[in-house]
Amino acid sequence: MAAVAEQWARVAKAVQQRRKVIGLSASRLALDSEISPTTMSNIERGMGATPTILRRVSLALQWPDDTLLRISQGEPVPKGPKPITPLTTMERVAALEIEVAALKAGLRTLL
């Protein structure tokens, strides 16, 4: 049982450290990961998460999607280049508008 607690403590520490490096609040990371703030709090307190949630959080932390799962299995926290600068709100809105337009165009061809 102690091994399980240690694995989630490693994940919690990795999430907290990476979040600070890329300048995200816990609530913003939860939003970017599409999970609840309570779930994010549980992760940062070492209470574990499903593989799907770990993938979402890894991506929101600008890591490959399997990073937190690998950390939970005992692999070291990756050392690498600094993260890319997060998109501004306006850049996100513009990207979403393009995606919505593409989806609408796809729907028109189906109808």
Side-chain angles (χ1 to χ4, degrees):
M1 197 63 143
V4 172
E6 288 173 17
Q7 88 182 38
W8 292 117
R10 281 193 308 272
V11 169
K13 184 177 179 181
V15 169
Q16 292 168 3
Q17 289 176 341
R18 180 66 172 185
R19 180 173 61 76
K20 289 174 183 170
V21 165
I22 63 176
L24 292 178
S25 66
S27 59
R28 181 59 200 214
L29 180 55
L31 182 66
D32 290 352
S33 303
E34 298 179 354
I35 62 174
S36 72
T38 301
T39 300
M40 182 56 61
S41 175
N42 289 342
I43 292 168
E44 288 201 345
R45 290 185 294 134
M47 298 178 69
T50 66
T52 299
I53 289 174
L54 291 178
R55 282 187 191 94
R56 290 179 182 178
V57 176
S58 289
L59 290 172
L61 290 169
Q62 301 173 14
W63 275 335
D65 68 346
D66 64 343
T67 302
L68 288 175
L69 187 59
R70 292 165 61 132
I71 291 169
S72 77
Q73 295 168 346
E75 290 193 25
V77 176
K79 307 253 188 252
K82 292 201 176 211
I84 59 172
T85 304
L87 296 176
T88 66
T89 301
M90 292 307 296
E91 290 169 329
R92 285 176 185 257
V93 168
L96 289 171
E97 287 173 342
I98 291 168
E99 193 172 331
V100 167
L103 290 170
K104 284 181 180 178
L107 284 175
R108 283 191 203 107
T109 61
L110 293 174
L111 300 176

